[in-house]
Amino acid sequence: MKKLTTGVLILVLSSSVAVANAQQKKSDTVRTQDIEGVVVTALGIKREKKSLGYASEEVKAEALTGGTTNTGNVASLLSGKVSGLQVNTNNNFGGSANLLIRGYKSLSGGNPLIVIDGSPVNNGTVSGSTFDYGNFLSDINQDDIESINVLKGAAASALYGERGSDGVILIVTKNGRGKQDGSWGVTLTSGITAGFIDKSTFPKYQTRYGAGYGPVYGNDTNGDGNPDEYFNHDPLTGQFQVPFTEDASYGAEFNPNLLVRQWDSYDPTSPTYGMATPWVAAKNGPIKFFETPVTYVNTISLEKGNKSSNISLSYSNMLSNGLLPNSDLRKNSLSAKFNYDFTDKLHATVFSTLTIQDTKGRNETGYSDNVVTGFRQWWQTNVDVLSLKDAYIRTNNGNNTWNRTSGEDGTPIYWNNPYFQRYQNYQSDTRTRSFSYAQLKYDITKNFGITGKLSYDQLQMQIEERLMNGSLPQAFGASGNNVTSGYSRQDIRTTETNFDLFLNYKFDITSDLNVSGLVGGNVRRNLIDNMYTSTEGGLATPGLFAISNSVNPIIPPNENYSKWLTSGVYATASFGYKNLVFVDGTVRSDQSSNLPKENNTYVYPSVTGAVILSELWKPSWLSFWKVRGNYAEVGSSTENYRLQNTYRVRGGFGSIGLLNQSYFLANPDLKPQRSREVEFGMEAQFFKNRLGFDIAVYKTRTTNQIINLPVSSATGYRTFLVNAGQINNQGIEIQLNGTPFKTTDFKWDIDVNWSKNENKVIKLYGNSQNYLLASYQGGVSLNARVGEAFGALVGSDYVYLNGQPVINPTTGRYLTNPNQVIGNITPDWIGGVRNSFTYKGLSVSFLIDVKHGGDVFSTDMYYGLATGLYEETAVGDYRVTGVVHPGVNPNGQVNTTPTTAPYNFGNVDGYRRMPNKRFVYDASYVKLREASIGYSLPKSILANTSIQEAKISIVGRNLWIIHKNLPYADPETGTGNGLASKGNSIGVLPTTRDIGINVTLKF
């Protein structure tokens, strides 16, 4: 992989330098402003990019959406396109995409602030569920986006105060343009996408052995050589009987001459009822359970505009189904934007968008009752998945499972029939999201203006989860008791209101020195209103999903109503001298109602500088050259109601009210978290913009983090809140652009980005050396450990002697050493290479997305290798003579002892005998992330029609995982959103290769 990346960089540099000079034309004149352009910065302020003293990177709409399928989530479209921005997507239906800029700076993780046209919006998610409800950035219609500008460092985001500590994603929406004659412009876009499973991301099952845990069920009493010990016996007929209760495939070797009574032999509705059938591998494995996901997206946009006003209207409809049966997503988005000049001095902008989404059948995540966990860890290779579908239909949607209690008792032991699970125990949710702002700007003079802006962001969501009568008993509802049926409902409402008022100024101090900036303030109000309730003891009437249909009295609903206020004042000053030197200063002071009065006001300053060296030295081959540097401080507050202990009403005992205290001990002396950053950079363009680079180096120190640390249970609490901890980050970011070939009809552009971030946990609290971030199956955990990079995976490791793992010479198995650092989720570096080719009306582009380093613990391999699912557990004499593991004995001699008792499950490999380190894999990948081929019809063909432009494109996403080290899964995918989803591959859906056709018509 290192050679691949180095080769790409050499190609970009050498081809651009060699060809660009030869192809220059006298007509190619490029001004500095053309090279750098104008970009949108904090608070929606437009600035010439050359004057900025910090790193920012803009992605235009065409580069964002033009070369890929419509993912339904804007965040995922940024993969591989911005240096320093790590994007982690997953395969969950309607699931999350996690964004991280310049690594983890906080012990609580970190998500960049999302801003639309200068106004912040909610990018949260629903936590505490086995379902991934997606990050709320997915509510933004990608067809409304003009560009996205990523503000990476503290200096770039300091004006957002407490919210800018993790960087900012600035989204700029489109303005209406219309046609030259002043009439309406109409754009119709229609696309269809289908997904096809990448088989490298799903298990390859062995087809040599069937159900069971080994020769533990009987003896070959008659000496006929038949595998009596691998089967149970039917109590009435004495025939071989599959061990139904065992969800593993470490049993008897398949033999078509051997007749066995399997699960369907005990189903009275089955064609094989009462029959013993040949002992063979299933014809249809779990991969046949998945369906072909298809997505339809149709959009209509109306635009009209002139010099003093413009309007843009759009409507988009998305219909999609997922990989799993009974999954369906319907999303409708409507948006409108108006710009109007009342006079030459008074300007107004109004934007509003509404998204309504209905989703049914999201996939479960994690361990629990996730059907994909079963397919990856606990399955019988003799079970035909389509026969389970037939059984579900034959029994009138009954839970007829392969995992029976016995031949006579069809109650499931560990697993429901997967079709019953998907069609009866499904969830559903509805989401209504609206975001609006109104802005009024008045130009007092040519040097001064005043702007007032009001924005409102509201999310309403209703979530329903169901457990049909006859299900496997499982923890459900508010009490968490095991029940065989149930229903729960959660209602969520969040709002955010922002009011900004600021005065902008710009004037010349002298003929060579000018200053510009603004002075203003912001008031933000947030509200969260949640309620959760569920049935208790099951459903009284089968199949009636209603809270009132509860067998037992329900527990009083869990209600959460919270609101908080943050106010801030800010000021900026930008000085420019002869277009040569630029110096900026900003300061913001915030006051948060979530902090105590003596600590609730805090100030965040920044100072930046830039020097345009190409104004001093102007050789013909140098188009632009700038050096820059900055220093800034940003930070963050905390959640509400953390200053004093609070209590939650939990119903009553007779006339006496019952209350629960929170699990953490509040802290009335909390301070805001603080982050300090220094950054230096350089930008240059050569050969009239044919070759260029942008390099940034930075160092960040984050202190006073607000975390929950363990406390003695004698206090009555589990944790206590404290300001503690320091994390240091440092890194480098590189962007390269090149145009190796350019003629009248043909152009080839290359864009490369590469970044490396290193972080380290410097200290926690007192003598604490470890802070638990998340716990996984198998005793593995995600941690912040002093002296280690953030995101250490901790679990059992091998015992080593001179760097070699030590093996017990008696058993042939590895010795283990508990509580060791066995990996880390932080990648060594990330990067992307995008190639774009245009020839007349034909365009071709593709994006290679790379992540190098970082680790992932595979719970699937941890269990699946023990239960004998995977093909490597059936190679040769693996289950007969065992395996000689590489390593040394305690005396230092090379191991020659094969693993003992290999015929019993997990004795050779898997969770029973191996340390956790065995299942930690390098999470690197190289992906063909995007590819497209488009053709625009010539104007001559459209001359006599009402169509102004027509383009058809074939687009693809995740077409090829060129390289990965994690077997049978995509190393990028996680269980959902947030830190707990990182570093653990467990029950994830396979990745799909998505291929689609898009048609765009402009009238």
Side-chain angles (χ1 to χ4, degrees):
M1 216 169 77
K2 183 177 180 181
K3 292 182 178 179
L4 169 66
T5 307
T6 304
V8 171
L9 293 175
I10 291 174
L11 171 64
V12 172
L13 293 172
S14 61
S15 61
S16 297
V17 172
V19 179
N21 225 3
Q23 294 190 7
Q24 290 180 33
K25 294 185 178 182
K26 292 182 179 180
S27 59
D28 287 344
T29 58
V30 183
R31 298 181 298 118
T32 299
Q33 183 171 327
D34 295 331
I35 294 173
E36 287 284 272
V38 176
V39 295
V40 177
T41 62
L43 301 179
I45 304 167
K46 290 184 178 180
R47 295 277 305 275
E48 289 188 42
K49 193 171 186 293
K50 69 177 182 180
S51 68
L52 302 181
Y54 51 77
S56 69
E57 192 166 348
E58 186 179 50
V59 182
K60 294 290 188 181
E62 177 60 27
L64 184 72
T65 63
T68 185
T69 61
N70 190 320
T71 63
N73 193 328
V74 173
S76 63
L77 298 176
L78 291 167
S79 295
K81 295 175 182 176
V82 178
S83 63
L85 175 63
Q86 184 179 341
V87 183
N88 287 102
T89 60
N90 60 49
N91 302 327
N92 297 328
F93 184 58
S96 306
N98 297 283
L99 300 174
L100 183 66
I101 299 176
R102 291 186 172 178
Y104 290 104
K105 306 179 187 69
S106 170
L107 292 171
S108 58
N111 292 296
L113 175 67
I114 307 300
V115 176
I116 297 179
D117 292 341
S119 298
V121 296
N122 179 13
N123 188 35
T125 188
V126 178
S127 59
S129 173
T130 59
F131 298 96
D132 178 6
Y133 289 97
N135 56 304
F136 300 147
L137 187 56
S138 61
D139 297 325
I140 306 302
N141 183 9
Q142 68 179 44
D143 291 313
D144 289 338
I145 297 175
E146 178 73 26
S147 65
I148 291 180
N149 195 22
V150 181
L151 305 184
K152 304 174 186 178
S157 58
L159 275 181
Y160 287 105
E162 67 161 11
R163 310 183 84 185
S165 59
D166 295 307
V168 179
I169 306 291
L170 295 177
I171 298 175
V172 180
T173 60
K174 296 176 181 177
N175 291 318
R177 291 183 177 86
K179 294 190 286 189
Q180 292 182 353
D181 60 3
S183 61
W184 286 93
V186 180
T187 302
L188 297 176
T189 303
S190 183
I192 179 173
T193 303
F196 306 92
I197 290 177
D198 182 340
K199 293 185 178 180
S200 73
T201 63
F202 195 68
K204 293 181 180 178
Y205 298 98
Q206 56 83 14
T207 57
R208 186 175 171 184
Y209 302 93
Y213 281 131
V216 296
Y217 305 100
N219 297 302
D220 186 11
T221 52
N222 58 8
D224 61 1
N226 287 330
D228 300 51
E229 64 272 25
Y230 283 96
F231 294 101
N232 291 321
H233 292 79
D234 184 280
L236 297 178
T237 66
Q239 295 171 297
F240 287 150
Q241 183 189 75
V242 168
F244 308 117
T245 59
E246 317 286 40
D247 48 358
S249 295
Y250 219 89
E253 189 167 4
F254 288 124
N255 179 354
N257 297 317
L258 189 66
L259 299 180
V260 181
R261 292 199 66 178
Q262 303 195 46
W263 67 272
D264 50 355
S265 174
Y266 295 91
D267 173 15
T269 68
S270 170
T272 58
Y273 177 62
M275 299 170 55
T277 53
W279 184 237
V280 295
K283 179 181 178 181
N284 300 293
I287 199 168
K288 295 293 184 67
F289 183 72
F290 299 104
E291 298 183 346
T292 300
V294 179
T295 299
Y296 303 89
V297 181
N298 295 283
T299 302
I300 179 171
S301 300
L302 305 176
E303 296 178 278
K304 186 177 182 180
N306 54 42
K307 186 177 180 179
S308 61
S309 64
N310 59 71
I311 179 174
S312 175
L313 305 171
S314 72
Y315 167 73
S316 182
N317 171 258
M318 170 181 277
L319 304 175
S320 180
N321 67 286
L323 269 173
L324 294 176
N326 196 36
S327 56
D328 180 75
L329 184 151
R330 301 170 183 268
K331 181 161 64 175
N332 293 277
S333 300
L334 181 66
S335 64
K337 187 175 185 180
F338 305 87
N339 291 288
Y340 186 75
D341 296 338
F342 290 100
T343 68
D344 291 340
K345 293 187 175 184
L346 186 59
H347 319 281
T349 300
V350 176
F351 174 80
S352 184
T353 181
L354 173 68
T355 299
I356 301 173
Q357 178 175 306
D358 293 307
T359 309
K360 180 179 70 174
R362 294 180 189 267
N363 56 288
E364 291 175 300
T365 63
Y367 195 70
S368 64
D369 296 288
N370 179 358
V371 294
V372 186
T373 297
F375 294 159
R376 290 184 177 275
Q377 302 172 16
W378 309 97
W379 185 251
Q380 294 183 357
T381 55
N382 51 284
V383 172
D384 190 300
V385 72
L386 294 187
S387 68
L388 289 168
K389 182 179 182 179
D390 293 339
Y392 170 72
I393 295 173
R394 286 195 313 266
T395 55
N396 193 26
N397 305 335
N399 191 11
N400 197 341
T401 180
W402 58 273
N403 193 212
R404 302 170 65 93
T405 299
S406 67
E408 295 73 27
D409 185 357
T411 304
I413 289 290
Y414 303 117
W415 299 97
N416 294 319
N417 182 308
Y419 289 92
F420 177 89
Q421 180 77 12
R422 289 298 303 166
Y423 283 98
Q424 302 300 322
N425 294 347
Y426 67 93
Q427 66 76 232
S428 62
D429 59 89
T430 60
R431 186 157 78 208
T432 301
R433 176 75 177 276
S434 63
F435 169 73
S436 304
Y437 72 82
Q439 176 178 291
L440 198 62
K441 180 180 180 182
Y442 182 71
D443 299 324
I444 302 172
T445 68
K446 67 176 183 179
N447 296 326
F448 294 93
I450 187 169
T451 301
K453 187 175 186 180
L454 178 66
S455 67
Y456 183 72
D457 183 14
Q458 177 176 262
L459 170 78
Q460 289 185 296
M461 194 169 182
Q462 184 183 95
I463 299 171
E464 299 175 277
E465 296 183 13
R466 301 165 180 83
L467 192 64
M468 176 60 80
N469 300 75
S471 296
L472 175 75
Q474 58 190 269
F476 187 88
S479 67
N481 292 330
N482 282 348
V483 292
T484 59
S485 62
Y487 171 74
S488 71
R489 173 175 168 174
Q490 184 175 8
D491 293 281
I492 302 171
R493 182 170 71 96
T494 68
T495 68
E496 176 172 325
T497 305
N498 279 276
F499 177 69
D500 281 274
L501 181 66
F502 56 85
L503 174 75
N504 61 284
Y505 60 89
K506 180 178 182 181
F507 55 87
D508 295 331
I509 300 175
T510 69
S511 59
D512 294 327
L513 180 64
N514 60 72
V515 63
S516 62
L518 55 85
V519 178
N522 166 265
V523 176
R524 170 167 57 97
R525 296 179 181 274
N526 289 85
L527 168 71
I528 296 177
D529 185 6
N530 293 348
M531 185 176 71
Y532 176 86
T533 187
S534 67
T535 59
E536 290 296 328
L539 300 175
T541 301
L544 178 58
F545 294 105
I547 300 298
S548 57
N549 189 35
S550 178
V551 170
N552 298 328
I554 66 172
I555 294 176
N558 187 351
E559 298 176 86
N560 177 33
Y561 183 88
S562 56
K563 57 183 179 180
W564 63 99
L565 172 69
T566 306
S567 57
V569 292
Y570 47 81
T572 73
S574 303
F575 297 89
Y577 177 72
K578 285 188 174 181
N579 275 332
L580 173 65
V581 179
F582 299 92
V583 177
D584 287 11
T586 73
V587 63
R588 174 160 179 154
S589 176
D590 279 339
Q591 187 177 68
S592 172
S593 66
N594 288 339
L595 291 173
K597 288 183 178 181
E598 58 272 19
N599 294 328
N600 71 350
T601 301
Y602 33 96
V603 178
Y604 299 116
S606 79
V607 59
T608 73
V611 179
I612 313 299
L613 296 177
S614 52
E615 292 292 322
L616 299 174
W617 185 41
K618 302 181 179 180
S620 60
W621 48 268
L622 179 63
S623 305
F624 179 75
W625 183 18
K626 179 178 81 172
V627 294
R628 63 177 190 261
N630 63 72
Y631 170 81
E633 297 183 16
V634 292
S636 59
S637 179
T638 185
E639 299 174 10
N640 33 354
Y641 310 137
R642 289 184 150 198
L643 304 180
Q644 297 180 359
N645 293 331
T646 58
Y647 300 87
R648 187 178 300 275
V649 176
R650 302 300 293 170
F653 182 75
S655 60
I656 302 174
L658 301 178
L659 297 95
N660 284 350
Q661 67 179 18
S662 59
Y663 67 88
F664 65 86
L665 180 61
N667 185 347
D669 300 316
L670 288 179
K671 300 177 182 179
Q673 176 179 294
R674 204 165 193 87
S675 184
R676 297 172 172 87
E677 183 176 88
V678 177
E679 176 190 312
F680 295 96
M682 180 185 295
E683 304 168 43
Q685 292 290 328
F686 308 97
F687 311 118
K688 296 185 173 68
N689 207 26
R690 297 290 293 276
L691 178 67
F693 68 83
D694 187 336
I695 298 176
V697 293
Y698 60 89
K699 189 170 184 178
T700 307
R701 183 180 67 175
T702 305
T703 57
N704 278 348
Q705 302 182 57
I706 301 173
I707 56 176
N708 267 319
L709 288 177
V711 67
S712 170
S713 59
T715 64
Y717 300 92
R718 287 182 286 174
T719 61
F720 72 104
L721 280 169
V722 67
N723 284 109
Q726 176 181 332
I727 294 179
N728 289 356
N729 277 264
Q730 62 183 19
I732 181 172
E733 299 162 350
I734 300 175
Q735 305 167 47
L736 300 173
N737 67 277
T739 305
F741 294 96
K742 182 179 180 182
T743 66
T744 303
D745 296 326
F746 178 76
K747 186 180 180 183
W748 172 21
D749 290 323
I750 301 178
D751 295 288
V752 179
N753 69 81
W754 181 90
S755 58
K756 179 180 179 65
N757 179 82
E758 295 178 347
N759 68 7
K760 189 175 183 179
V761 180
I762 304 301
K763 60 182 178 180
L764 292 171
Y765 181 75
N767 296 323
S768 298
Q769 297 295 303
N770 191 82
Y771 179 61
L772 179 66
L773 301 171
S775 297
Y776 306 140
Q777 290 285 125
V780 175
S781 59
L782 183 67
N783 304 267
R785 277 203 169 186
V786 173
E788 300 280 346
F790 180 90
L793 294 170
V794 174
S796 59
D797 197 353
Y798 300 96
V799 173
Y800 295 95
L801 179 64
N802 297 324
Q804 296 294 314
V806 180
I807 295 173
N808 184 330
T810 302
T811 63
R813 299 173 187 139
Y814 289 109
L815 301 180
T816 61
N817 186 13
N819 196 32
Q820 301 297 306
V821 175
I822 56 177
N824 195 287
I825 65 173
T826 303
D828 296 330
W829 55 265
I830 57 176
V833 181
R834 188 172 192 266
N835 284 269
S836 303
F837 306 88
T838 57
Y839 177 73
K840 295 184 178 180
L842 182 67
S843 61
V844 178
S845 69
F846 64 91
L847 171 67
I848 303 294
D849 190 7
V850 184
K851 186 183 82 167
H852 179 72
D855 298 300
V856 58
F857 173 72
S858 176
T859 309
D860 297 328
M861 299 299 288
Y862 175 79
Y863 287 121
L865 287 172
T867 57
L869 286 185
Y870 299 116
E871 59 182 4
E872 53 263 52
T873 66
V875 176
D877 294 332
Y878 180 97
R879 304 190 188 191
V880 179
T881 60
V883 172
V884 178
H885 289 312
V888 297
N889 298 143
N891 61 8
Q893 294 181 348
V894 175
N895 176 55
T896 58
T897 305
T899 50
T900 58
Y903 38 79
N904 284 332
F905 94 105
N907 275 353
V908 179
D909 204 347
Y911 73 98
R912 297 182 68 222
R913 310 297 183 188
M914 286 289 193
N916 299 132
K917 176 69 173 180
R918 160 70 178 89
F919 313 102
V920 174
Y921 296 87
D922 175 20
S924 299
Y925 60 76
V926 180
K927 292 186 177 184
L928 178 56
R929 178 72 71 181
E930 299 176 2
S932 70
I933 301 174
Y935 182 69
S936 297
L937 294 180
K939 298 289 185 180
S940 57
I941 297 179
L942 304 175
N944 296 322
T945 70
S946 59
I947 301 175
Q948 290 189 328
E949 294 182 30
K951 182 177 181 179
I952 183 170
S953 302
I954 299 175
V955 294
R957 186 171 182 83
N958 296 326
L959 294 176
W960 180 22
I961 302 179
I962 302 169
H963 168 81
K964 70 182 181 76
N965 298 302
L966 176 65
Y968 311 124
D970 187 338
E972 183 182 12
T973 59
T975 56
N977 203 329
L979 275 176
S981 68
K982 305 294 190 302
N984 187 19
S985 181
I986 177 171
V988 296
L989 289 170
T991 296
T992 58
R993 296 185 173 102
D994 300 324
I995 301 174
I997 297 177
N998 292 336
V999 176
T1000 300
L1001 302 176
K1002 292 186 178 182
F1003 299 88

